[in-house]
Each structure stands twice: as C-alpha cells, then as structure tokens.
Amino acid sequence: MAKILSFDTHSESCSVCLLNTDPNSPRYALRSALASRSHAQHILPMVDEVLVEANLTLRDLDGIAFGRGPGSFTGLRIAAGVAQGLAYGSDLPVFPVSNLQALAYMTFSAQPKQEYCLSLIDARMDEVYWAVFQNTQQDFGEVSALVPHRLVDEQVGSPESVSVSDSLLSSCMAVGTGLVHESRISNIARFNVLADVEHTMDSAQAVAELALLDFLASKGVKAAEAAPVYIRDNVTWKKLPGR
C-alpha cells in the first residue's frame, strides 16, 4: 500500500490529489480550482484539505509528487518549491512527473484502445511544448500498469515544428492546450483530436498515478534534487538555499 500527495500547477488550474492504495480507503482525495496567477494562495490550503479528508498527516505519506513541467514558469516554480518544502520537512522522497506524460496518461486512461498520443501544451510566445507517447503496459511485481512510453523527446517550438511519423498518424490522438494552434500543425486533420481530455481525469490524479509507479520502482529523488523542467534554455531554477 502507498500514499502519495501530488499537485499540479503547470497551467491556470491548481489541483491537489492524495492517492491512497489502501483498499479500505477511497483511492483519491481531490481538490481543483482555476487559479490564474494565484496558485501560491490555493495550493497549501488544498493540501491541508485533502490530508484532513483522508485523515492523514504528512508523516503518514510515502512520497510527494508534482507536475515538473513543461508549462507556466511561475506555476512550475511554485510546485517545485512546495514539493521541496513539504518533502524536506517530512523526510519524504519526491517524484517529479512530466506534464506531457501525465497528459498522455489521461488520454490513454480515457481512450484505452488508442495506440499513440501527441501531447501538446501551449507554451505562449507563439510556441508549443510537445512529445509523442505510445500506450504501453509495464509490470510492477504482480501489478501491470499503464505507462505512456515517450517516442519523441519533449521539445518546444512553433506549431509548424511539430512532426509525427506518417506511420503513426492514423492511430495517434492529439490532446492538450497546444491545440489552440491546431490550424498550424502539420497533418492535424489526420489525427484523432480529444480536446477535452483534461475533463476525464484531473491532472493531479495523473501525476499521482505516474508517481506511484516511480515509487514502486524506487525512483524518487531527495527534496533538494526536485526541480522543474522548463525545456526553454533561458530559464534557471535555484534549489533550497544551502542544499
């Protein structure tokens, strides 16, 4: 059994999830709200609320997970900072989760027969973050779980720079906020498009489920090593002072 606290602030939404695999408890305690430019005011109260709902404390947890990006620079800084602070104070491992992979997880959970996913996040500045994932299952002991396998590295560029192999187009679903630029994405008419995938599973739930798999594989990092991933090279991140 495992208990993972996760949160995601890569977009205008702020969401927090407590995942508990104890079969005698609800699997999720969840909070989500639109929080444009106010993630910092929402996230800690939401953390308190899901802990109270689950009747747990931070020291009862097995790890802290966060959406590590790509996405809003400010949102990612807040998520990484909160993850560092909570994990350091409670001596917990941290599980940074790709937001593009989380988007693919949401897609394959909603559409389990879909073979491939083009995850797109609006990067502003007339660009998109994107990557391509394959729907795969991976064994974790006696458990087999969905693990979106990345086929194309995460990258950022103009909508015209998005490129998917012709052999994948007929069985690939395009999803995410980057679809705001869909008219400029090559061959978009040949994709299946699921623009509302975000409504099938909350992003913090997807982050928690992927973090759970990292927990089972002992892939957590120390608090001081938890950092956002911006993809753009002109942004830096400072870890906890003195660590």
Side-chain angles (χ1 to χ4, degrees):
M1 294 184 292
K3 302 174 182 67
I4 305 290
L5 174 68
S6 69
F7 35 85
D8 183 35
T9 56
H10 85 283
S11 66
E12 292 186 353
S13 294
C14 178
S15 59
V16 176
C17 177
L18 198 153
L19 183 154
N20 187 347
T21 62
D22 184 343
N24 297 314
S25 301
R27 188 170 182 85
Y28 304 113
L30 180 68
R31 294 292 185 278
S32 182
L34 287 176
S36 180
R37 300 184 181 181
S38 61
H39 297 88
Q41 287 72 43
H42 284 77
I43 189 168
L44 289 177
M46 286 181 173
V47 168
D48 289 339
E49 289 174 11
V50 298
L51 287 171
V52 169
E53 180 178 327
N55 195 26
L56 297 171
T57 69
L58 284 173
R59 295 195 178 276
D60 295 320
L61 303 179
D62 296 292
I64 304 289
F66 72 102
R68 53 83 165 161
S72 160
F73 295 164
T74 301
L76 299 185
R77 288 189 182 99
I78 291 170
V82 171
Q84 284 187 347
L86 295 180
Y88 182 76
S90 303
D91 193 26
L92 292 170
V94 180
F95 303 97
V97 173
S98 162
N99 283 104
L100 289 169
Q101 187 183 31
L103 188 55
Y105 186 94
M106 294 159 68
T107 302
F108 294 139
S109 295
Q111 302 285 333
K113 295 182 179 181
Q114 196 67 45
E115 293 183 70
Y116 303 99
C117 173
L118 168 63
S119 293
L120 297 153
I121 294 175
D122 185 9
R124 307 297 175 88
M125 299 170 62
D126 208 33
E127 293 183 323
V128 293
Y129 301 112
W130 66 279
V132 178
F133 296 87
Q134 183 177 14
N135 188 347
T136 65
Q137 295 284 321
Q138 184 173 334
D139 292 331
F140 295 85
E142 298 180 356
V143 178
S144 181
L146 164 65
V147 182
H149 173 67
R150 191 178 71 241
L151 299 177
V152 176
D153 287 343
E154 297 182 354
Q155 49 197 288
V156 62
S158 68
E160 290 83 3
S161 71
V162 176
S163 178
V164 178
S165 171
D166 287 345
S167 63
L168 306 184
L169 289 176
S170 63
S171 53
C172 188
M173 181 162 281
V175 297
T177 57
L179 284 171
V180 68
H181 302 290
E182 67 175 292
S183 64
R184 297 168 55 193
I185 297 173
S186 178
N187 293 314
I188 193 65
R190 297 176 62 187
F191 288 91
N192 296 313
V193 174
L194 184 60
D196 293 329
V197 65
E198 292 88 347
H199 300 299
T200 65
M201 173 182 283
D202 187 272
S203 60
Q205 289 177 276
V207 169
E209 293 287 358
L210 289 170
L212 173 62
L213 303 183
D214 284 343
F215 168 75
L216 295 174
S218 301
K219 291 184 178 180
V221 301
K222 295 180 180 180
E225 297 171 352
V229 173
Y230 299 113
I231 298 183
R232 286 191 174 117
D233 295 332
N234 60 343
V235 181
T236 59
W237 162 254
K238 292 183 179 180
K239 297 179 181 178
L240 287 171
R243 307 198 188 282

